Amino acid sequence: GSGAPPCHYENLRELYIPGLNDLCYLWTVIQAFSMMLVVAAPLAFAFFFAGGVADYYYHKVHARRRGRKLIAALYAIAPIFLTVSLIMYMFGTQFLVLMKPINNGFPYGTYTYLAFLSCFFAFAPLIMHLFMTRENMDEIRNENLSGERKFIREYGDLLEYGAAAQQQQQQAQAFAA
């Protein structure tokens, strides 16, 4: 009597559009968590890509301590993001067994376990970075140069007093002559 479609596997072929077609609550939840997973995976891969770009920049262009920390953060965010989204997906779809025809099976199949295995292997770039990337000579040199530039920016006026100022005046007079 209520006019709502029964919550059955055969009625789940169409995509749920909020406000336009009201399917059963379980199917709505399953689709919402599935869409969350579909959005979360590309975001995680974007974090992996950004970590790879930062890793290349660190090793080939300009090594800095903050770059090494950024790489670790990006390589940590991506697998954590994937794992949390998969756990949320499993939480949201745990009631799948309540849909008709009701069975006593387990709602998660082989692909869910493969997804968890993928999440486990997604930590490999972070582990490799933490164990294989240490402070190197380029990073030490760049950090020292950066510190020197910062000192000159902040205390450059100190170089205009005393012996440093006399030396600058002598150089200026020699250049003018």
Side-chain angles (χ1 to χ4, degrees):
S2 67
C7 197
H8 193 276
Y9 283 126
E10 292 178 5
N11 296 331
L12 304 180
R13 294 186 191 122
E14 55 186 288
L15 178 66
Y16 172 72
I17 301 169
L20 294 179
N21 55 347
D22 293 326
L23 297 173
C24 67
Y25 174 74
L26 290 175
W27 180 238
T28 304
V29 170
I30 289 169
Q31 281 194 324
F33 279 97
S34 296
M35 287 298 148
M36 179 210 56
L37 197 58
V38 165
V39 169
L43 286 175
F45 290 120
F47 282 116
F48 273 128
F49 182 76
V53 169
D55 207 349
Y56 175 84
Y57 186 81
Y58 174 84
H59 285 97
K60 300 291 185 185
V61 179
H62 192 72
R64 292 289 308 271
R65 184 177 300 119
R66 66 180 173 196
R68 195 166 27 96
K69 290 179 180 179
L70 175 68
I71 295 165
L74 290 170
Y75 280 160
I77 289 171
I80 290 171
F81 199 65
L82 279 175
T83 306
V84 167
S85 62
L86 186 59
I87 290 170
M88 290 174 63
Y89 173 79
M90 289 182 70
F91 175 75
T93 58
Q94 67 184 341
F95 302 108
L96 183 62
V97 294
L98 299 177
M99 295 180 78
K100 294 179 182 177
I102 295 177
N103 61 17
N104 293 329
F106 196 63
Y108 312 114
T110 307
Y111 293 113
T112 307
Y113 297 121
L114 287 175
F116 265 115
L117 186 64
S118 299
C119 288
F120 176 74
F121 285 120
F123 282 95
L126 173 64
I127 292 168
M128 288 172 47
H129 173 75
L130 292 177
F131 283 109
M132 296 183 178
T133 305
R134 297 283 181 238
E135 191 174 53
N136 58 26
M137 294 304 292
D138 288 336
E139 181 179 332
I140 293 169
R141 181 179 50 97
N142 290 335
E143 290 294 330
N144 289 336
L145 289 173
S146 176
E148 185 178 321
R149 285 191 300 266
K150 181 179 178 183
F151 179 81
I152 290 171
R153 268 195 319 270
E154 292 177 2
Y155 304 107
D157 56 345
L158 293 178
L159 299 175
E160 298 175 4
Y161 297 104
Q166 290 175 359
Q167 184 180 12
Q168 287 177 357
Q169 288 174 356
Q170 291 171 357
Q171 288 175 353
Q173 289 172 356
F175 182 72

